[in-house]
Amino acid sequence: MRILKVNDNTVRIFISFTELADRNISLADLFQRSARTEQFFWELISKARDEVDFSLDQPFWIQATVASEDEFVITVIKQEEQIDAEINHIIQTAFGEKKKNPRPSPKFASEKQWVYLFEEFEDVISAVRLLPGILQLQSALFQYEGEYYLTISNIGNPRKKKLAEAILDEFGESVMTTDTFLKEHGETIIEEDAVKILKRLEKKKRS
């Protein structure tokens, strides 16, 4: 574990997946609020206070992302009241727009890119585990309003497309949005090769 103080308001805590396993915490656990993960988070903050003089004495935001195949990073950002209010306004506005505009009927917004919504992180893992190997596959994983969005492009030949679609439909739901919107309004968990990285992490976990 290593802690990087970016500035007085921001700290990044890097944790290896081995360290998580030693604490009996899985990648999915980190995205699900529980007494155990909350306790782990405050242990990290205590360590950050001792090592880099970072303490939380005001509202804050947390962003959790996969830094590499071996490491996870938690970014904690303290917010000023004015900034916090602005962010809340943006989120509420985006949510309101989502409620006013029902999803169009076509299954995919683009044949080049698919976007799938998953309610739970475990559903993402279950789907990714079964997806066929696709050499040129491009993918990313985002979180928005407590749900997970997997974007996929360069899906492969028609047979692999059909198989991938069946698997993704089993665990998630195709939605009409774009990675541009998710990058601007959500949190990026894995920016590139999300499927490949999650498959490798799941394989390491089982081995």
Side-chain angles (χ1 to χ4, degrees), residues 22-40:
D22 290 341
R23 291 171 170 80
N24 197 29
I25 296 176
S26 68
L27 187 60
D29 291 334
L30 287 175
F31 294 99
Q32 297 173 358
R33 187 170 182 176
S34 67
R36 183 172 60 177
T37 54
E38 284 192 11
Q39 180 182 355
F40 177 60

Side-chain angles (χ1 to χ4, degrees), residues 18 20 33 76-77 80 97 108 141 146 161 178-179 181:
T18 301
L20 287 179
R33 187 170 182 176
V76 183
I77 306 171
E80 301 293 342
E97 290 173 353
F108 298 113
L141 182 64
K161 279 186 178 180
T178 65
D179 57 354
F181 174 86

Side-chain angles (χ1 to χ4, degrees), residues 26 89 182:
S26 68
H89 174 71
L182 294 169

